[in-house]
Amino acid sequence: MTEFVANCSMPLAIIFLAAGFFFLVKGADIFVDGSSSIAKKFHVPSIIIGLTIVAMGTSLPEAAVSVTASLANQNTLAVSNVVGSNIFNLMVVIGMCAVLTPVAVQRETLKRDFPFSVFCAILLLILGWMGPMQLGHGDGVIFLVLFAIFIGCMIRSALKANKEGKTAEGDSSEIDEMKIMSLPKSLLFIVMGAAGIILGGDVVVNSATNIATRLGMSETLVGLTIVSIGTSLPELVTSVVAARKHEVDMALGNAIGSNIFNILMVLGIAGAISPMAFLTENIIDIVILLVFSLIVWFFAWTKQKLNRGEGAIMLALYAAFMVYICMR
């Protein structure tokens, strides 16, 4: 199957790519439903489920693609997929929300999550550059340790806010209303979801590589465009629907959290499994991610919200970035 997808015709490769994205997204959705149901069955607080299982679920497509790429020694796709997804989440997902309706910014996002996301991007840049030009097993372990610390701090903060009767940034009212499935059905959902994620990741990596080869594109360019946008589409659709309902209070916090998860969890797992090559293009793209992060951070500090004009600027900057990476 892998060999066939990697060598099939262009039209078939595009169909396989779309099918791979479907399996990734649906698999992640089913996996989260099953995992959340089991957690609820064992009386795990909803706030913790929201900050761990559900939050990680949005990064499962990126994780599947990056880990599969790492295992297949198509390492540049792994790094560029994460960096491209982070830029897309920040500039397009949040930019689109801001254009539709002003996005309120939580205090924790400004003072805790934004600085930490910038720190993670800087750490990725330093470790990759000093590697030399490689993310190795040790770097992956460092990311995973930081990820565990970050999750621990998030849970502690959320439980404290919950105890004080405040609204925590990981508010999980939807999880509270979720129906608890039977244990066999929950386990079946987890197995089916995991199978969909693994199959989808494999198909996306092989079909994307096939398309890149036939079009003469680099794996980095494919990772920054087709793959990163495809794996981030669920976040975009969810955020746009929320914006249309004027329910985007946590949109920026969710996007920043997803970006932190992508670097620490996704590249942490991929790096711990197999060393990843780090290209000059990756360095440039991470610097662009840092610049974009600082711009959005500055926008967010003003009046504690992102308005329509700032959203339009973010979308324009992403369009300029796309033109740049296609021309280089």
Side-chain angles (χ1 to χ4, degrees):
M1 176 67 175
T2 299
E3 194 70 28
F4 178 74
V5 175
N7 296 295
C8 65
S9 64
M10 175 68 83
L12 265 179
I14 293 171
I15 292 170
F16 274 121
L17 184 67
F21 283 137
F22 173 79
F23 279 112
L24 272 177
V25 174
K26 201 65 185 171
D29 203 25
I30 293 172
F31 184 86
V32 166
D33 285 346
S35 303
S36 300
S37 180
I38 287 180
K40 286 284 288 182
K41 201 173 186 68
F42 287 98
H43 307 293
V44 176
S46 296
I47 197 84
I48 294 179
I49 299 172
L51 287 168
T52 54
I53 298 169
V54 176
M56 288 180 209
T58 61
S59 292
L60 281 175
E62 286 90 345
V65 169
S66 293
V67 170
T68 304
S70 182
L71 288 170
N73 290 320
Q74 289 157 335
N75 312 84
T76 51
L77 192 63
V79 178
S80 58
N81 172 40
V82 165
V83 176
S85 290
N86 281 12
I87 292 174
F88 186 87
N89 283 342
L90 190 65
M91 306 306 284
V92 178
V93 174
I94 300 305
M96 189 72 76
C97 284
V99 166
L100 291 172
T101 182
V103 177
V105 182
Q106 303 283 328
R107 189 179 64 177
E108 289 86 351
T109 302
L110 285 173
K111 294 188 175 181
R112 180 193 64 196
D113 299 343
F114 242 126
F116 191 65
S117 72
V118 170
F119 165 76
C120 290
I122 292 172
L123 183 63
L124 172 61
L125 183 64
I126 292 171
L127 292 179
W129 202 345
M130 304 287 286
M133 299 304 284
Q134 171 179 282
L135 284 173
H137 298 298
D139 301 323
V141 171
I142 290 171
F143 282 148
L144 290 175
V145 169
L146 282 173
F147 178 67
I149 293 170
F150 176 70
I151 287 293
C153 291
M154 290 277 286
I155 290 172
R156 186 180 174 186
S157 173
L159 289 176
K160 184 181 177 183
N162 218 31
K163 193 175 180 180
E164 293 172 357
K166 298 175 185 176
T167 303
E169 198 163 313
D171 182 51
S172 308
S173 55
E174 287 183 16
I175 299 168
D176 282 323
E177 297 168 6
M178 184 186 70
K179 292 180 181 178
I180 301 176
M181 298 179 282
S182 65
L183 190 59
K185 187 176 180 180
S186 298
L187 291 173
L188 179 63
F189 267 48
I190 290 172
V191 172
M192 287 174 59
I197 292 165
I198 293 167
L199 176 63
D202 192 44
V203 171
V204 166
V205 167
N206 285 293
S207 55
T209 304
N210 185 344
I211 292 169
T213 303
R214 292 182 181 278
L215 293 178
M217 299 166 67
S218 68
E219 285 183 12
T220 302
L221 179 56
V222 173
L224 284 168
T225 53
I226 300 170
V227 178
S228 65
I229 292 172
T231 54
S232 295
L233 279 178
E235 285 97 330
L236 177 61
V237 172
T238 302
S239 297
V240 167
V241 169
R244 289 175 68 88
K245 294 179 180 178
H246 301 285
E247 296 172 354
V248 290
D249 285 354
M250 297 172 193
L252 182 59
N254 290 341
I256 298 300
S258 180
N259 285 3
I260 293 170
F261 277 41
N262 284 346
I263 292 177
L264 297 185
M265 184 184 82
V266 175
L267 290 183
I269 294 171
I273 291 173
S274 175
M276 293 175 286
F278 210 77
L279 306 178
T280 304
E281 287 91 339
N282 296 139
I283 293 173
I284 296 169
D285 296 331
I286 294 170
V287 170
I288 291 172
L289 171 61
L290 283 167
V291 171
F292 283 171
S293 296
L294 293 173
I295 289 172
V296 177
W297 197 4
F298 172 75
F299 285 165
W301 269 108
T302 58
K303 300 179 183 177
Q304 302 271 297
K305 68 177 181 179
L306 296 169
N307 59 38
R308 288 185 172 87
E310 290 164 339
I313 292 171
M314 290 159 67
L315 292 174
L317 286 172
Y318 184 79
F321 169 68
M322 292 297 285
V323 171
Y324 161 69
I325 59 172
C326 289
M327 290 179 64
R328 74 181 178 192

